[in-house]
Amino acid sequence: MSEEMKELKKKLLATEKNGYDTISEADTAAMEDYCASYKSFLNNGKTERECAGEAMRLAELSGFVPYHRGMNVKPGDKIYSCNRDKGVMLAVIGTESLARGAQIAAAHIDSPRLDLKPNPLYEEGELAYFKTHYYGGLRKYQWVTIPLELHGVVALRSGEVVRVSLGAKEGESQFVITDLLPHLGGEQGKKPLNEAITGESLNILLGSQPMGESDDTDRTRLQIMKLLNEKYGITEDDFTSAELEAVPAGKAVDIGLDRSLIGSYGHDDRVCGYAALHAILELAHPTKTAVCMLADKEEIGSMGVTGMQSAAFDTFMHDLCEGQGVLLRECYENSFCLSADVTAAFDPNFADVFEKKNAARVNHGMGLCKYTGARGKSGASDACAETVAYIRRVLDKAGVIWQIAELGKVDAGGGGTVAMYMANRNIETLDAGVPVLSMHAPFEVVAKLDCYMTYKGCKAVFEAE
Ligand code: MN
Ligand code: MN
């Protein structure tokens, strides 16, 4: 190739680089510390409630205080507000008025799991079980024969809320959903992957030891209820007003001989939630007000009082605006939101569902998605070209390694995030997040470099002017 052509190529053609080719030494060192703190966040938060609690604990350690309507806030103040124990909104007040807009990062802290039904407990074949109703888009066959923990709350008639955590502590017993042995699995094996394990067969094994005499009834069920009553003071009726979630057991671990990846339950979307949280906790004196939204219910459509469609976010922002004599609509129209959510990482094992030129790559940095959606971008918040240009400027200035991608091949499937709900509020919004392998599986994999770069990306957004 002639020198002239080489020059021209460098100038005109885009180059795709592995993040390890460009990451600085300082970032490489900081990445490890960051990922260690992220893993402990994952281990302390297996449900949206636990993540919200952990986020507030960390926020208070960083000087954030609970916000109350009418509270006098000034530039540099760090505040947070909790939505029904399941979502958290944090803000660092900027030196500029909210009329100039806020810099927002919105992620979700709910993850796919198995919720207990309102009448969950039963006994069959002398074994005791909990019936479940899966939450979010999960592949049912992945949730059998893996150890499970049970987390959540039981709200008693009295108003008291009992926190439940079973199976997470060292040495504590865990739970499991059984599957057929191969010897008898012939017919099951012929079924399509998504039909071999049905929703109604996702029943959690609780115990096997009967109580009483051989001619008694409900012996195993009663034994389980007795144990739960001893530990938590609850009766079977109390399941009526409970939110108990079965989640994969185990802790976040490094994956690979080079330890470059992290395997864990719940990367979607705690990996972005933690990135946004960590970034706002470090923020000192931003020009514009920085807002970190950790939402619930994204996995089932962002509905309900704790989802991104809830007015809880608008109320929080409205209260802040009111304190400055600013109209909420004026704040929104000048705001920017990074919809921080995971994207699919190109998986060579399943290359045919990806379009190589537009797939997010592991270790290529934070993955921007101009749009998500399915079947011709349906349901997507398609960010304006100008918005993408703005973020290119912000990320490049801050030395963030990033890539732009789509979630899979055209018509191969698709997905959505909270982006559309932010954009519907008249806030310029762009999707960006960590590429994930085995997304929505009980054990998902992400690259440390991408986690760290997503944190840097959130920080850059918060600090942008
Ligand atoms: Mn997500
Ligand atoms: Mn998801």
Side-chain angles (χ1 to χ4, degrees), residues 108 110 112 268-269 298-299 341-342 416 439-440 444:
H108 67 93
D110 62 315
D268 179 7
D269 181 34
E298 192 277 340
E299 294 297 353
D341 204 346
V342 298
M439 193 200 292
H440 282 207
E444 306 171 305

Short mmCIF file of all heavy atoms in Angstrom, two decimals, residues 108 110 112 268-269 298-299 341-342 416 439-440 444, ligand 2:
data_model
loop_
_atom_site.label_atom_id
_atom_site.label_comp_id
_atom_site.label_asym_id
_atom_site.label_seq_id
_atom_site.Cartn_x
_atom_site.Cartn_y
_atom_site.Cartn_z
N HIS A 108 -31.60 0.23 35.71
CA HIS A 108 -32.56 -0.51 36.54
C HIS A 108 -31.85 -1.52 37.42
O HIS A 108 -30.80 -2.04 37.06
CB HIS A 108 -33.66 -1.15 35.69
CG HIS A 108 -33.22 -2.25 34.78
ND1 HIS A 108 -33.24 -3.57 35.14
CD2 HIS A 108 -32.73 -2.23 33.51
CE1 HIS A 108 -32.81 -4.32 34.13
NE2 HIS A 108 -32.49 -3.54 33.14
N ASP A 110 -33.69 -4.09 39.02
CA ASP A 110 -34.41 -5.37 39.07
C ASP A 110 -33.79 -6.30 38.04
O ASP A 110 -33.25 -5.84 37.02
CB ASP A 110 -35.90 -5.17 38.77
CG ASP A 110 -36.17 -4.60 37.38
OD1 ASP A 110 -35.47 -3.64 36.99
OD2 ASP A 110 -37.07 -5.11 36.68
N PRO A 112 -34.11 -10.49 36.13
CA PRO A 112 -34.99 -11.66 35.96
C PRO A 112 -34.81 -12.64 37.13
O PRO A 112 -33.71 -12.80 37.64
CB PRO A 112 -34.50 -12.28 34.66
CG PRO A 112 -33.85 -11.16 33.92
CD PRO A 112 -33.23 -10.29 34.97
N ASP A 268 -27.38 -7.58 34.42
CA ASP A 268 -28.47 -6.80 33.83
C ASP A 268 -29.44 -6.42 34.93
O ASP A 268 -30.22 -7.26 35.37
CB ASP A 268 -29.15 -7.62 32.73
CG ASP A 268 -30.31 -6.89 32.08
OD1 ASP A 268 -30.52 -5.71 32.38
OD2 ASP A 268 -31.04 -7.52 31.29
N ASP A 269 -29.46 -5.21 35.45
CA ASP A 269 -28.70 -4.10 34.91
C ASP A 269 -27.89 -3.45 36.03
O ASP A 269 -27.63 -2.26 36.01
CB ASP A 269 -29.65 -3.13 34.24
CG ASP A 269 -28.95 -1.95 33.61
OD1 ASP A 269 -27.83 -2.10 33.11
OD2 ASP A 269 -29.50 -0.84 33.66
N GLU A 298 -38.01 -2.70 35.23
CA GLU A 298 -37.67 -2.59 33.81
C GLU A 298 -37.90 -3.91 33.09
O GLU A 298 -38.36 -3.94 31.95
CB GLU A 298 -36.21 -2.15 33.63
CG GLU A 298 -35.86 -1.73 32.20
CD GLU A 298 -35.52 -2.87 31.25
OE1 GLU A 298 -35.19 -3.99 31.73
OE2 GLU A 298 -35.61 -2.69 30.04
N GLU A 299 -37.61 -5.01 33.79
CA GLU A 299 -37.68 -6.32 33.14
C GLU A 299 -39.11 -6.72 32.78
O GLU A 299 -39.32 -7.66 32.04
CB GLU A 299 -37.03 -7.39 34.02
CG GLU A 299 -35.51 -7.22 34.20
CD GLU A 299 -34.73 -7.35 32.90
OE1 GLU A 299 -35.33 -7.70 31.87
OE2 GLU A 299 -33.51 -7.10 32.93
N ASP A 341 -28.13 0.77 30.19
CA ASP A 341 -28.59 -0.61 30.27
C ASP A 341 -27.70 -1.48 29.41
O ASP A 341 -27.06 -1.01 28.46
CB ASP A 341 -30.06 -0.70 29.80
CG ASP A 341 -30.77 -1.92 30.39
OD1 ASP A 341 -30.10 -2.82 30.93
OD2 ASP A 341 -32.02 -1.96 30.29
N VAL A 342 -27.69 -2.75 29.74
CA VAL A 342 -26.79 -3.67 29.05
C VAL A 342 -27.23 -3.92 27.62
O VAL A 342 -28.39 -3.73 27.26
CB VAL A 342 -26.71 -5.02 29.80
CG1 VAL A 342 -26.15 -4.82 31.20
CG2 VAL A 342 -28.06 -5.70 29.86
N GLY A 416 -35.83 -3.83 24.70
CA GLY A 416 -36.11 -2.43 25.04
C GLY A 416 -35.49 -2.08 26.37
O GLY A 416 -34.99 -2.95 27.07
N MET A 439 -26.93 -13.00 28.50
CA MET A 439 -27.83 -12.06 29.18
C MET A 439 -29.11 -12.77 29.64
O MET A 439 -29.63 -13.62 28.92
CB MET A 439 -28.19 -10.90 28.25
CG MET A 439 -28.85 -9.73 28.98
SD MET A 439 -29.76 -8.67 27.86
CE MET A 439 -28.44 -7.94 26.90
N HIS A 440 -29.57 -12.40 30.83
CA HIS A 440 -30.77 -12.95 31.47
C HIS A 440 -30.60 -14.38 31.97
O HIS A 440 -31.55 -14.98 32.48
CB HIS A 440 -32.00 -12.88 30.57
CG HIS A 440 -32.62 -11.51 30.52
ND1 HIS A 440 -33.94 -11.29 30.26
CD2 HIS A 440 -32.07 -10.29 30.72
CE1 HIS A 440 -34.18 -9.98 30.29
NE2 HIS A 440 -33.05 -9.36 30.56
N GLU A 444 -24.48 -14.49 34.30
CA GLU A 444 -24.16 -13.69 33.12
C GLU A 444 -22.68 -13.29 33.17
O GLU A 444 -22.10 -13.23 34.25
CB GLU A 444 -25.00 -12.42 33.09
CG GLU A 444 -26.50 -12.63 33.19
CD GLU A 444 -27.28 -11.34 33.37
OE1 GLU A 444 -26.97 -10.59 34.32
OE2 GLU A 444 -28.19 -11.07 32.59
MN MN B 2 -33.00 -7.28 30.84
#
